[in-house]
Amino acid sequence: MPGVPPVRVAVLISGAGSNMAALIDEGQQAGAPFEVVLVLSNKPDAGGLAIAQGKGVATFEIDHRPFGTDREAHERALDAALTAHDVQVIALAGYMRLLTPWLVGRWAGRMLNIHPSLLPKYPGLDTHARAITAGDAEAGCSVHVVTEGVDEGPVLGQSAVPVLADDTPASLAQRVLAAEHALYPRALADFCRQIRSL
């Protein structure tokens, strides 16, 4: 949209950040409706931090361990960093923390997540093993708005991959991850276009 600045996005990670990298790359394309301006991690040694820095994106780590069991206090520190960078939308990408109602409420309607199943099937963990055990013909991934219920928010987009006869959870996960790298940038771009048109 000419004359409208891109939506400022923060990506929250806990690990290698392959989905984060796909989002950064999409946001750096000419005319993209969003830009990743910050990558935040709860783990100071998360591999994705170096990848983000290499792509010219600001990074910030707020180790959750000193906060003990006080999840909200950790999230308030995260929120302060998000506010300081004028973030408008959060994209969770392998952020392995259960969020409190405080943070979910604070960013209601402005926080997305990618989940490795075709929701509403298999919320939570071990999605690939569950799909194989159930004899499903296909698995996949979903981008959804984050709500208080685990993986329960409105689905914005999905991508399916076939489950092969000789699949293991690891081999299926590899193909689903490739689908995630294509789906998440597209879904985030569509979401941010809608925000800019409001």
Side-chain angles (χ1 to χ4, degrees):
M1 198 178 300
V4 180
V7 175
R8 295 174 63 83
V9 172
V11 183
L12 270 57
I13 64 170
S14 295
S18 64
N19 269 310
M20 169 213 74
L23 295 178
I24 292 173
D25 290 347
E26 180 71 17
Q28 291 178 342
Q29 299 298 310
F34 72 88
E35 177 187 4
V36 176
V37 297
L38 178 66
V39 171
L40 265 169
S41 178
N42 64 305
K43 293 189 173 181
D45 60 349
L49 293 170
I51 293 171
Q53 290 161 5
K55 293 179 180 291
V57 177
T59 62
F60 207 78
E61 59 272 358
I62 304 176
D63 193 339
H64 64 275
R65 290 171 294 188
F67 294 88
T69 59
D70 194 344
R71 289 179 180 273
E72 186 176 317
H74 178 250
E75 290 176 352
R76 287 183 180 275
L78 285 178
D79 186 68
L82 295 166
T83 301
H85 286 79
D86 297 320
V87 169
Q88 296 167 281
V89 168
I90 296 173
L92 304 179
Y95 188 66
M96 304 306 289
R97 298 278 292 167
L98 287 175
L99 303 180
T100 71
W102 181 82
L103 190 69
V104 173
R106 172 88 172 81
W107 290 87
R110 296 183 295 149
M111 187 189 301
L112 306 186
N113 183 46
I114 189 154
H115 181 73
S117 80
L118 296 172
L119 293 171
K121 278 190 168 184
Y122 314 129
L125 302 176
D126 302 319
T127 57
H128 308 302
R130 290 156 72 189
I132 291 170
T133 300
D136 291 354
E138 61 181 16
C141 52
S142 307
V143 174
H144 66 95
V145 178
V146 176
T147 57
E148 285 191 31
V150 175
D151 302 322
E152 288 182 356
V155 172
L156 302 178
Q158 293 185 313
S159 182
V161 301
V163 178
L164 306 180
D166 60 349
D167 259 332
T168 64
S171 65
L172 180 55
Q174 194 169 19
R175 290 203 316 285
V176 170
L177 187 60
E180 291 178 27
H181 295 164
L183 174 65
Y184 207 176
R186 189 169 69 243
L188 179 60
D190 289 345
F191 181 78
C192 290
R193 283 189 195 97
Q194 290 180 350
I195 286 178
R196 294 202 305 174
S197 68
L198 295 178

